[in-house]
Amino acid sequence: MASPFFMRKIIHIDMDSFYASVEVRDNPSLKGKPVGIGSATEKRGVLCTANYEARKYGVKAALSTMYALKLCPDLILVKPNFEKYQEESLKIREIFKEYTELIEPLSLDEAFLDVSDCKKCEGSATLIAQEIRAKIFDKTKLTASAGIAPNKFLAKVASDWNKPNGQFVITPEDVAEFVYKLPLKKIFGVGKVTATKLHDQGFKTCGDIQKASIRELRDIVGSFGESLHKYSKGIDDREVCTTRERKSISVEHTFKEDILEVKEVAKKVEKIFAELKYRLKNKNVGKNEIKSIFIKLKFNDFQQTTVSDLNSSFELSDYLQLVNRGFKRKEAPVRLLGLGVQLKTQKKVSKYQLNFLNE
Ligand code: DCP
Ligand code: MG
């Protein structure tokens, strides 16, 4: 008899060629043409993604732009516009919330939903996924794919199965047959290196792994061996982790050597600010949700000071001013600098606090 976790109803939703689809939607002259998202001016740049027309030529995310143009000379390059993607992402998440509170976003364009307790669509996860995809299209004119399965591992594999604009269901009864022939590279956590190690030992599919002992797997892939063994049988008891309430988000850097002058700190502010901006974007926090900004300085005697400003906008120059004010309070060497924001509402974001010791 299957254990309860095996009976969860998990949906994994993943938007199709997300950034590219947004750009094609907003510029219909691109429709039907191969499009890559990336900058043509950055010589060593890489593509964020490419639409499905471009993928026919082998063009895909993380490929260098130069190489992509060799593969597909007609490739049209469009610069990414992250704010736009974030807006779309928020719309999509609003739709998810109509079905469950158990939402685990993995990035702007994908999320796990635990719909085990959802009563809509007569409790059918398949119909819920269909409805969600239809609503996404209605609201954004973008297509999404979905995987429906009893756990996260299988749901993620399934969302890729009928991409783009498709969905695939793995029922509890289908699991054993589905995983048996599943290539190992489909398993989350099996990258190129691990896959090669396993291939070298004759393991190609989940079926092959099922026959191995955990000890044998540990010898090849270390502590991942146990999870690998479970996944190969289609077992994954990880819960959908909803993010936690947080009032502030900050990024801190501890410097290898204390910083003596405010001018030097200013240089670091720029870098940390860029990182903070990136993190806020990733957490879907818009400027309008910021209540105040703050900085934290820790001096070489471990005393620290915090300066905050309720009325400033979220600009680099605002942070620089706060750092100046903080530095004047003590005028001593600084060993740590943090930049952060207080949020207006207790927006749900995952715990985020970075401490870099590599500066
Ligand atoms: N992305 C990126 N750099 C990468 C991979 C992805 O910037 N190396 C961005 C661009 C993608 C978005 O994240 O549009 C979502 O990533 P996906 O892996 O889901 O890729 P796509 O949505 O573009 O395509 P697919 O249809 O395969 O999901
Ligand atoms: Mg996607």
Side-chain angles (χ1 to χ4, degrees):
M1 163 125 176
S3 51
F5 64 74
F6 202 62
M7 302 309 290
R8 282 189 190 125
K9 292 179 194 170
I10 309 293
I11 300 176
H12 179 253
I13 303 262
D14 190 320
M15 302 298 290
D16 302 319
S17 58
F18 184 46
Y19 295 3
S21 301
V22 174
E23 298 305 335
V24 174
R25 175 198 68 184
D26 294 348
N27 180 357
S29 73
L30 298 174
K31 212 168 176 204
K33 296 177 186 161
V35 174
I37 303 301
S39 174
T41 50
E42 283 175 36
K43 271 200 181 139
R44 295 193 301 164
V46 292
L47 292 183
C48 296
T49 192
N51 66 356
Y52 280 79
E53 282 81 355
R55 290 186 200 191
K56 286 179 201 153
Y57 298 83
V59 173
K60 56 184 181 183
L63 221 60
S64 87
T65 310
M66 305 284 269
Y67 185 56
L69 283 166
K70 268 190 199 152
L71 291 175
C72 176
D74 293 334
L75 185 71
I76 301 169
L77 289 168
V78 179
K79 276 191 198 144
N81 180 340
F82 298 108
E83 261 154 47
K84 220 158 61 168
Y85 312 143
Q86 194 183 353
E87 255 175 52
E88 298 310 314
S89 181
L90 282 175
K91 289 182 201 162
I92 295 160
R93 284 194 200 161
E94 285 306 311
I95 296 171
F96 297 160
K97 284 185 201 160
E98 293 175 29
Y99 296 84
T100 178
E101 282 182 350
L102 298 175
I103 301 164
E104 181 180 344
L106 297 177
S107 68
L108 288 182
D109 96 318
E110 74 184 289
F112 286 116
L113 281 65
D114 185 333
V115 294
S116 308
D117 295 330
C118 178
K119 302 280 180 286
K120 292 195 171 168
C121 304
E122 294 174 9
S124 157
T126 306
L127 296 180
I128 292 171
Q130 227 154 39
E131 206 174 277
I132 288 176
R133 289 174 47 237
K135 281 192 186 175
I136 289 177
F137 188 76
D138 224 37
K139 209 163 176 184
T140 67
K141 297 288 172 268
L142 300 168
T143 61
S145 296
I148 302 101
N151 61 47
K152 294 210 286 192
F153 156 50
L154 292 171
K156 189 157 163 72
V157 175
S159 70
D160 213 31
W161 219 249
N162 277 333
K163 229 180 198 312
N165 199 15
Q167 65 181 54
F168 186 70
V169 190
I170 304 169
T171 64
E173 296 74 33
D174 295 340
V175 172
E177 200 187 327
F178 181 82
V179 289
Y180 196 76
K181 286 184 189 152
L182 192 69
L184 294 178
K185 62 174 191 294
K186 293 278 182 189
I187 297 182
F188 180 77
V190 178
K192 265 190 194 152
V193 177
T194 310
T196 308
K197 277 188 200 165
L198 291 164
H199 283 190
D200 289 349
Q201 300 296 321
F203 299 112
K204 294 214 160 56
T205 62
C206 288
D208 297 335
I209 294 287
Q210 288 172 14
K211 293 173 205 147
S213 69
I214 294 179
R215 180 187 274 187
E216 201 179 337
L217 296 174
R218 275 214 195 105
D219 285 344
I220 307 169
V221 297
S223 58
F224 183 54
E226 207 158 332
S227 300
L228 182 62
H229 200 253
K230 272 190 172 177
Y231 292 158
S232 75
K233 291 181 179 168
I235 298 171
D236 175 13
D237 45 15
R238 290 172 305 160
E239 284 179 28
V240 167
C241 301
T242 57
T243 45
R244 288 194 279 146
E245 301 269 325
R246 244 181 102 82
K247 285 188 227 159
S248 71
I249 298 174
S250 65
V251 178
E252 290 181 356
H253 280 211
T254 302
F255 309 121
K256 254 193 198 146
E257 284 172 13
D258 294 345
I259 286 180
L260 304 172
E261 284 188 49
V262 69
K263 261 195 289 181
E264 279 178 78
V265 185
K267 275 188 230 154
K268 306 287 182 189
V269 174
E270 202 170 329
K271 194 170 168 204
I272 302 175
F273 180 62
E275 205 164 306
L276 180 63
K277 269 208 306 204
Y278 178 73
R279 291 296 155 186
L280 293 182
K281 196 173 283 170
N282 254 352
K283 303 283 170 207
N284 261 328
V285 178
K287 269 192 182 182
N288 55 344
E289 293 167 84
I290 295 172
K291 185 170 76 185
S292 67
I293 69 166
F294 64 88
I295 63 106
K296 178 168 124 185
L297 290 177
K298 200 182 266 180
F299 298 99
N300 64 343
D301 60 359
F302 284 87
Q303 274 201 357
Q304 66 178 53
T305 186
T306 307
V307 191
S308 63
D309 192 342
L310 259 175
N311 297 314
S312 74
S313 49
F314 182 67
E315 300 292 341
L316 177 64
S317 56
D318 299 311
Y319 277 107
L320 286 169
Q321 272 182 13
L322 294 191
V323 168
N324 263 314
R325 276 168 53 194
F327 204 80
K328 274 189 194 143
R329 284 184 183 166
K330 201 165 162 80
E331 292 195 325
V334 169
R335 67 183 313 272
L336 175 148
L337 169 65
L339 303 187
V341 292
Q342 293 278 352
L343 302 177
K344 271 181 198 156
T345 49
Q346 294 200 348
K347 187 180 173 70
K348 285 188 173 181
V349 292
S350 58
K351 178 173 162 49
Y352 188 77
Q353 180 89 36
L354 262 191
N355 251 304
F356 281 92
L357 293 162
N358 56 349
E359 282 266 330

